[in-house]
Amino acid sequence: MAWKENGSAVALCLWALVFGLAIGSAVDEGGEGRALCDGSYNYTDALAKAILFFEGQRSGKLPADQRVEWRAHSALTDGQIDNVDLTGGYYDAGDNIKFGWPMSFSVALLSWAATEYEAQISAVGQLDHLHSAIRWGADFILKAHTSPTTLYTQVGDGSDHSCWERPEDMDTPRNLFKITESSPGTEVAADAAAALASAYMVLKSVDPDYAAKLLEEAKALFEFADKYRGSYQASCPFYCSFSSYQDELLWGATWLYKATKDVQFLTFVSNNQNWSGVVPEFSWDNKFVGAQALLTKEYLAGKKDLAIYKTHADGFVCSLMPGSGTVKIQTTPGGLLFTRDTVNLQYVTSAVMVLFYYSNTLDSAGISEVQCSSANFSTAQIRAFAKSQVDYILGKNPLGYSYMVGFGTKYPRRIHHRGASIPSVQVHPAKVACGEGFADYFNTDNPNANIHVGAIVGGPNSGDEFGDVRSESIHSEPTTYMNAAFVGASAPLLDEKCGLQLPLDDGGFMASAS
């Protein structure tokens, strides 16, 4: 049954907090989206749905325990044109292309959340699901690294965007793209190294042999990235680099140091401090503040030659906090950080993940505030601002709208997503061809056939307006890296006020929308 907000639920919630009741892993499609103890949002349910989303993005042969049942096997011949196995991995958004760079960023974000909030995520029964999400992406990165100096970076091409087909039906070319020593892409290789090193930290106690392989490949990928330096801007068809590769090299070296404690990686970040600077975003293209936040923890633990990274991480906080005097990112009238009108919530979720981590890091070191030019902000104020962004996404906004599909009762029904918009092969076994998909499913006002539970869309415009229009991909399309960051943004809130929250039950998140 679905838990409702009543006395029994409150008693059970308190019982769970005191006795450590193992929380089930089920989630509820279209649940009330509110906590059971204090009337605020149910962050446990939001976290569960954010992780579930990744099962709807899976490519390849799906496992027997697949929970998103409107999906089926797809892209089972990926890589064959080069006689390599590139099956598996994730479709990055609402299309059917697999992009290695954002996939690596997503794996690293998920792994960061899993290492930082392992106890909280385990307590609400989601750690195994999170491990599965990490491993699904890591498996693909391992496959894509076919030689010491070869990394496949993309499967599929732009022709996919001229078709509207389910992954299970797609017949567009599955052309392959790769980086090599003669056509490098340092950003992608370094990010892949970060992904595998961080995944190693998560999985080393679960599957030591597999984790050892992850770490071995992470080191090899970083060596490839560093030895054959060249920006992915020159060798990419999509997801091109705009911030060059220094941030990814720092990001990769930082995760390898955390994973190995090998002084060579610490020396690397120490010797290349001049690359760092204050940035107002954390994204698939710009990893500086991720590295800065992680290295601040090392600085506060005694590595005093890393002080500049704390200075720059403080600058990131000041660039976001309203009233700081050095604000770079404005907020909408409803209070949402607004970086740019292109899948804006990707910048919000990643910023919130950093704000929570960084404020907790400062607290642990006995530092109570961040000093900005015209105001000082306590760590409690920073966390409160971060929480306000999560709450905005979940429904505390001028429209009363949840930007997570399936959370609450008012959420996007027409997301820009091929698989979600067309009836599943179980319901409609006949092939839906390219043009038919556009005519019958894309170019309609009908709600999507399948509810992609947990998907976070690009979000509202700068005026807090949202039209729920399938064709407006910058507002209605979900991405893996947006959801991955939300895992790290919602996990710190799992014990908010009343402690552990009971999840809602599985009210049909695998069913169609009909």
Side-chain angles (χ1 to χ4, degrees), residues 250 254 266-277 288-289 291-297 299 303 305-315 358:
L250 289 176
T254 299
L266 184 63
T267 300
F268 187 94
V269 298
S270 181
N271 287 347
N272 292 298
Q273 296 182 55
N274 61 306
W275 289 347
S276 184
F288 276 123
V289 75
Q292 292 160 1
L294 291 167
L295 292 170
T296 294
K297 194 167 190 176
Y299 163 72
K303 298 174 178 63
D305 62 337
L306 302 179
I308 193 65
Y309 292 114
K310 179 183 182 300
T311 299
H312 291 160
D314 283 352
Y358 193 65

Side-chain angles (χ1 to χ4, degrees), residues 274-420:
N274 61 306
W275 289 347
S276 184
V278 176
V279 293
E281 73 175 61
F282 180 41
S283 66
W284 59 264
D285 182 47
N286 196 319
K287 314 295 190 313
F288 276 123
V289 75
Q292 292 160 1
L294 291 167
L295 292 170
T296 294
K297 194 167 190 176
E298 300 299 330
Y299 163 72
L300 294 174
K303 298 174 178 63
K304 298 305 180 184
D305 62 337
L306 302 179
I308 193 65
Y309 292 114
K310 179 183 182 300
T311 299
H312 291 160
D314 283 352
F316 173 79
V317 174
C318 296
S319 73
L320 302 184
M321 294 295 291
S324 73
T326 54
V327 168
K328 296 292 194 328
I329 306 300
Q330 303 299 320
T331 54
T332 67
L336 179 70
L337 286 167
F338 198 83
T339 300
R340 58 181 62 94
D341 198 26
T342 306
V343 196
N344 179 63
L345 289 186
Q346 67 175 300
Y347 307 108
V348 178
T349 56
S350 57
V352 170
M353 183 177 186
V354 172
L355 290 176
F356 273 126
Y357 173 84
Y358 193 65
S359 60
N360 291 339
T361 296
L362 296 181
D363 269 349
S364 297
I367 299 173
S368 61
E369 65 181 15
V370 170
Q371 297 180 359
C372 302
S373 65
S374 62
N376 295 341
F377 296 95
S378 69
T379 52
Q381 287 176 306
I382 295 168
R383 282 193 293 272
F385 180 68
K387 180 179 180 294
S388 75
Q389 301 301 297
V390 174
D391 288 348
Y392 185 108
I393 292 170
L394 296 179
K396 192 174 182 180
N397 54 64
L399 298 180
Y401 207 91
S402 167
Y403 292 101
M404 172 182 277
V405 174
F407 189 90
T409 57
K410 188 178 180 182
Y411 54 82
R413 304 281 178 164
R414 299 166 186 83
I415 69 172
H416 182 97
H417 192 279
R418 287 160 174 77

Side-chain angles (χ1 to χ4, degrees), residues 148 189 193 217-228 256 265:
E217 292 294 315
K219 293 176 182 177
L221 281 161
F222 186 81
E223 181 179 355
F224 174 37
D226 190 31
K227 185 175 181 180
Y228 301 98
L256 278 162
F265 300 112

Side-chain angles (χ1 to χ4, degrees), residues 433-513:
C434 176
E436 182 184 358
F438 273 118
D440 294 348
Y441 301 104
F442 180 81
N443 293 318
T444 75
D445 292 330
N446 296 330
N448 285 353
N450 307 297
I451 299 174
H452 197 347
V453 173
I456 298 173
V457 298
N461 64 18
S462 60
D464 299 300
E465 299 166 326
F466 181 79
D468 193 14
V469 179
R470 195 175 292 114
S471 60
E472 293 183 2
S473 60
I474 62 173
H475 299 294
S476 62
E477 188 169 17
T479 69
T480 55
Y481 40 92
M482 193 150 46
N483 263 70
F486 188 84
V487 172
S490 57
L493 295 170
L494 291 177
D495 55 2
E496 184 77 8
K497 294 186 178 179
C498 71
L500 299 178
Q501 298 173 358
L502 292 170
L504 302 172
D505 72 355
D506 60 351
F509 58 79
M510 296 174 287
S512 69

Side-chain angles (χ1 to χ4, degrees), residues 124-167:
V124 297
Q126 293 301 313
L127 191 60
D128 287 346
H129 295 309
L130 181 53
H131 285 177
S132 294
I134 292 166
R135 187 159 182 159
W136 194 270
D139 282 347
F140 180 83
I141 298 169
L142 290 176
K143 289 180 177 182
H145 188 211
T146 57
S147 82
T149 58
T150 303
L151 177 66
Y152 282 87
T153 59
Q154 184 176 317
V155 183
D157 61 27
S159 62
D160 173 89
H161 291 166
S162 63
C163 278
W164 196 260
E165 297 175 317
R166 298 175 294 199

Side-chain angles (χ1 to χ4, degrees), residues 101 179 183-192 221-222 224-232 235 244-246 248-249:
W101 190 9
I179 56 173
S183 181
T186 293
E187 294 92 338
V188 189
D191 222 338
L221 281 161
F222 186 81
F224 174 37
D226 190 31
K227 185 175 181 180
Y228 301 98
R229 292 187 184 181
S231 179
Y232 196 51
S235 54
S244 193
Y245 53 70
Q246 288 90 348
E248 277 80 22
L249 284 173

